[in-house]
């Protein structure tokens, strides 16, 4: 098959079982190259963020008894887009060759002489049970594994599944997408010799924070599923291996499992908080409401840099302040040596860590990480001492005012400013309106102000928790009509996460 460097190609990509991070590296790379992405219902929206700007994105999702596009039309669509000279990514949940109909699509492409590659995905048949604490094989309990479609129509003639062979001949049976057909599956297994006491588990939305699991036996599971109103997408696992779940469940017992939390920090900073919350089981929606940009007017920092050696202290009030101060030094052709003998103060550990990354020793950090404490506990005699505060434009005036009251000669330099990020506010409003959001986090007064500005008069359910990094942010939230439910005792990201955990 032709596959020259300049050939356009169709990638048949397995997106994995649902959790976006279970997409393979090769799959992500192919998505980034694609001109057209054709995707299914079970593909997580976050995966689509890997698609390059300007690519055409086409939804062809299928649900039980409701197909957006017939398989024949999907095959034809892939061929047509490839013949237009475009690189096409066909993105499918799970693995394209495990009941994903990828074989049919590949056959059509081969018939038309169109180059293609198969990029396997982690199948839900193994990943979903793993996330429920159920290993599909085990040396003592299961040496054989069978994976079957759950879509068979019980009204059709002869079943393509050899029930008399599999019912007692395979230790672990996994049925994909078989909720609607569960009663027939159970009946066939029992009628063909599988004991009624055999453990069964159904797992819905496996590997996602919406994951739900029901455990029963072949005798009880149909009634349990009907009573719970369990719907697809779900997989069914039959076998003694299901009994290990009690000891091996690890995903759905995390402290923040099932919680949907909004992070409002800037894109550059969101990852730290996001990773900590996700590690605790939360689903994080990054909704950056602020963007960190250089100040429109750089005169104050330019002047300060010209006389940098005159300052006895340089005070940094955020990690952003440190990063942008260094950028301004570089803009002037200087480095940290230009700070000379000035002593350095940091408002908190994150700011101190930012300074230390540049090899700079912090001489003073208050025990309480707010401007009031910086001024109150400032060490030594500062009367008539020249102090530079490197901070955001339009920050609170508490610190310079309090230091000035102690007799210091204070100068303020705006090293950056925050502006409203152009975020997808409409989708956030929809999620808030539908009650999907459990917690909104705010890490600064700017995030509060911009969030309110972007969301407008959207009503927050009483169940939504407002979590603030400290009392200053909480005060701003109150001023803007939000009731803080969580205020961190330690005004850091770790402190905020701990406060959210304590509130559960």
């Amino acid at each position: 098959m032709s596959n020259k460097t300049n050939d356009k190609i169709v990638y048949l990509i397995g997106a994995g079982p649902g959790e976006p991070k279970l997409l393979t590296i090769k799959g992500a790379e192919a998505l980034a190259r694609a001109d057209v992405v054709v995707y299914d219902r079970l593909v997580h929206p976050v995966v689509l963020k890997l698609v390059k700007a300007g690519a055409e994105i086409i939804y062809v999702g299928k649900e039980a008894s409701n197909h957006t596009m017939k398989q024949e039309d999907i095959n034809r669509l892939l061929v047509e887009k490839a013949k237009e000279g475009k690189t096409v990514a066909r993105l499918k949940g799970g693995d394209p060759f495990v009941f994903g109909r990828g074989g049919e699509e590949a056959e059509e492409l081969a018939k038309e002489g169109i180059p293609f590659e198969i990029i396997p995905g982690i199948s839900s048949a193994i990943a979903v049970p793993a996330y429920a604490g159920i290993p599909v094989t085990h040396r003592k309990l299961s040496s054989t594994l069978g994976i079957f479609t759950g879509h068979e129509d019980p009204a059709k003639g002869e079943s393509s599944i050899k029930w008399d062979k599999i019912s007692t001949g395979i230790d672990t049976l996994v049925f994909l997408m078989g909720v609607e057909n569960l009663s027939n599956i159970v009946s066939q297994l029992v009628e063909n010799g599988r004991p009624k006491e055999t453990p069964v588990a159904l797992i819905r939305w496996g590997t996602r924070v919406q994951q739900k699991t029901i455990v029963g036996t072949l005798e009880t599971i149909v009634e349990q599923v009907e009573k719970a109103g369990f719907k697809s997408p779900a997989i069914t696992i039959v076998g003694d291996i299901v009994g290990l779940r009690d000891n091996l469940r690890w995903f759905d017992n995390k402290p923040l499992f099932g919680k949907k939390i909004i992070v409002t920090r800037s894109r550059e900073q969101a990852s730290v908080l996001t990773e900590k919350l996700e590690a605790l089981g939360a689903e994080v929606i990054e909704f950056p409401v602020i963007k960190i940009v250089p100040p429109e007017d750089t005169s104050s920092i330019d002047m300060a840099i010209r006389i940098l050696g005159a300052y006895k202290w340089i005070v940094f009030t955020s990690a952003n302040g440190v990063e942008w101060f260094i950028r301004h030094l570089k803009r002037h052709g200087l480095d940290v040596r230009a700070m000379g003998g000035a002593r350095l103060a940091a408002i908190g550990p994150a700011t101190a860590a930012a300074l230390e990354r540049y090899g700079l020793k912090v001489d003073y950090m208050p025990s309480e990480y707010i401007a009031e404490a910086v001024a109150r506990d400032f060490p030594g005699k500062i009367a008539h001492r020249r102090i530079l505060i490197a901070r955001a434009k339009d920050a609170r005036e508490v610190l310079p005012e309090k230091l000035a009251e102690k007799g210091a000669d204070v100068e303020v330099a705006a090293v950056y400013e925050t502006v409203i990020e152009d975020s997808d506010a409409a989708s956030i409003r929809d999620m808030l309106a539908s009650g999907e959001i459990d917690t909104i986090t705010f890490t600064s007064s700017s995030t509060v102000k911009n969030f309110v500005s972007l969301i407008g008069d959207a009503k927050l359910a009483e169940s939504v928790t407002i979590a603030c990094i400290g009392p200053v942010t909480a005060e701003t939230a109150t001023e803007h009509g939000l009731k803080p439910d969580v205020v961190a005792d330690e005004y850091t990201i770790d402190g905020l996460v701990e406060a959210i955990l304590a509130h559960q």
Side-chain angles (χ1 to χ4, degrees):
M1 179 180 297
S2 174
N3 191 11
K4 299 174 185 176
T5 303
N6 61 348
D7 274 347
K8 297 302 181 182
I9 190 169
V10 176
Y11 296 104
L12 301 179
I13 306 170
E19 156 62 61
K21 291 183 180 178
L22 293 179
L23 176 72
T24 65
I25 294 173
K26 187 170 185 178
E29 291 172 346
L31 272 181
R33 289 194 292 269
D35 304 307
V36 180
V37 177
V38 180
Y39 75 102
D40 281 346
R41 174 195 176 208
L42 298 182
V43 173
H44 198 291
V46 170
V47 173
L48 296 177
K49 293 184 179 180
L50 300 173
V51 178
K52 69 182 180 183
E56 183 180 6
I57 301 176
I58 304 171
Y59 175 65
V60 295
K62 299 176 183 178
E63 300 180 42
S65 304
N66 181 19
H67 291 191
T68 300
M69 187 179 289
K70 294 179 180 179
Q71 185 62 50
E72 295 78 9
D73 296 330
I74 295 173
N75 297 348
R76 190 158 44 249
L77 174 67
L78 299 179
V79 170
E80 289 172 357
K81 292 298 180 181
K83 286 185 174 179
E84 290 174 10
K86 295 176 179 176
T87 297
V88 181
R90 173 68 173 110
L91 190 60
K92 310 166 78 69
D95 179 272
F97 277 9
V98 180
F99 299 116
R101 304 190 73 169
E104 297 171 44
E105 294 169 355
E107 282 183 306
E108 189 70 21
L109 294 168
K111 185 175 75 174
E112 296 288 339
I114 295 170
F116 63 87
E117 282 190 19
I118 311 301
I119 301 180
I122 300 174
S123 173
S124 60
I126 57 173
V128 170
Y131 266 62
I134 302 171
V136 292
T137 65
H138 188 280
R139 189 165 60 90
K140 295 180 179 179
L141 295 174
S142 176
S143 299
T144 53
L145 166 67
I147 302 171
F148 308 91
T149 177
H151 274 313
E152 274 209 323
D153 183 357
K156 76 178 186 178
E158 185 178 350
S159 172
S160 57
I161 297 175
K162 304 298 186 284
W163 294 101
D164 59 327
K165 302 293 193 300
I166 73 164
S167 295
T168 57
I170 299 176
D171 295 326
T172 302
L173 308 174
V174 179
F175 295 88
L176 302 185
M177 306 302 290
V179 177
E180 290 81 4
N181 202 22
L182 181 63
S183 179
N184 179 62
I185 292 170
V186 168
S187 297
Q188 290 282 9
L189 291 174
V190 173
E191 288 172 11
N192 285 277
R194 196 78 170 202
K196 293 186 295 184
E197 300 78 21
T198 303
V200 182
L202 265 78
I203 308 162
R204 185 170 190 264
W205 286 119
T207 75
R208 298 195 188 192
V209 294
Q210 304 101 309
Q211 178 174 303
K212 303 286 185 188
T213 303
I214 292 180
V215 175
T217 65
L218 286 175
E219 185 173 28
T220 66
I221 195 66
V222 172
E223 183 179 350
Q224 288 175 264
V225 166
E226 289 176 352
K227 187 175 180 180
F230 225 56
K231 305 293 183 185
S232 65
I235 73 167
T236 304
I237 305 104
V238 180
D240 292 338
I241 206 81
V242 172
L244 294 177
R245 170 172 159 77
D246 287 341
N247 290 328
L248 300 185
R249 61 187 296 188
W250 61 274
F251 178 59
D252 56 5
N253 61 0
K254 289 187 175 187
L256 295 180
F257 177 78
K259 301 295 183 183
K260 192 171 282 191
I261 301 178
I262 291 178
V263 169
T264 57
R265 299 188 95 193
S266 67
R267 294 186 193 279
E268 297 80 7
Q269 295 179 304
S271 60
V272 175
L273 179 54
T274 294
E275 288 169 6
K276 291 179 182 295
L277 293 172
E278 286 181 339
L280 294 166
E283 178 180 12
V284 176
I285 296 95
E286 291 188 352
F287 178 51
V289 298
I290 62 172
K291 183 189 296 184
I292 311 297
V293 298
E296 190 173 334
D297 179 3
T298 63
S299 58
S300 61
I301 183 60
D302 291 341
M303 178 63 72
I305 287 174
R306 281 195 285 269
I307 59 170
L308 210 49
Y311 298 107
K312 298 300 181 184
W313 282 92
I314 303 175
V315 180
F316 294 93
T317 60
S318 69
N320 283 324
V322 175
E323 300 297 335
W324 281 94
F325 183 85
I326 299 299
R327 292 190 194 189
H328 289 296
L329 283 179
K330 291 179 179 178
R331 184 167 56 83
H332 282 262
L334 303 172
D335 58 26
V336 295
R337 291 173 295 179
M339 299 166 76
R343 303 182 72 189
L344 305 180
I347 197 170
T351 307
L355 286 165
E356 288 165 3
R357 282 195 292 272
Y358 290 99
L360 297 169
K361 177 180 176 293
V362 176
D363 298 288
Y364 164 58
M365 183 177 72
S367 57
E368 188 180 8
Y369 313 138
I370 55 175
E372 288 83 348
V374 175
R376 183 187 65 228
D377 301 330
F378 212 91
K381 296 180 180 179
I382 60 173
H384 310 299
R385 297 290 194 270
R386 207 164 183 179
I387 296 177
L388 174 66
I389 301 175
R391 67 175 202 183
K393 178 188 175 185
D394 299 328
R396 294 192 308 147
E397 296 299 325
V398 172
L399 181 55
E401 289 175 356
K402 294 295 184 183
L403 290 176
E405 288 174 7
K406 289 190 169 187
D409 183 4
V410 182
E411 295 173 32
V412 174
V415 294
Y416 70 95
E417 61 180 297
T418 60
V419 297
I420 292 183
E421 173 69 285
D422 183 19
S423 297
D424 184 11
S427 64
I428 298 296
R429 287 193 206 98
D430 290 343
M431 283 189 278
L432 289 169
S434 62
E436 293 180 52
I437 303 301
D438 296 289
T439 302
I440 306 170
T441 62
F442 295 109
T443 54
S444 67
S445 291
S446 295
T447 59
V448 174
K449 295 172 185 176
N450 292 0
F451 178 86
V452 172
S453 176
L454 286 165
I455 295 301
D457 59 358
K459 300 296 183 184
L460 304 187
E462 289 188 11
S463 59
V464 175
T465 297
I466 303 299
C468 299
I469 200 167
V472 175
T473 304
E475 183 179 348
T476 305
T478 301
E479 291 170 355
H480 285 76
L482 302 175
K483 178 182 174 296
D485 302 289
V486 173
V487 181
D489 292 326
E490 179 183 302
Y491 318 144
T492 63
I493 294 301
D494 286 336
L496 178 58
V497 172
E498 287 298 323
I500 291 171
L501 279 172
H503 185 72
Q504 301 306 305

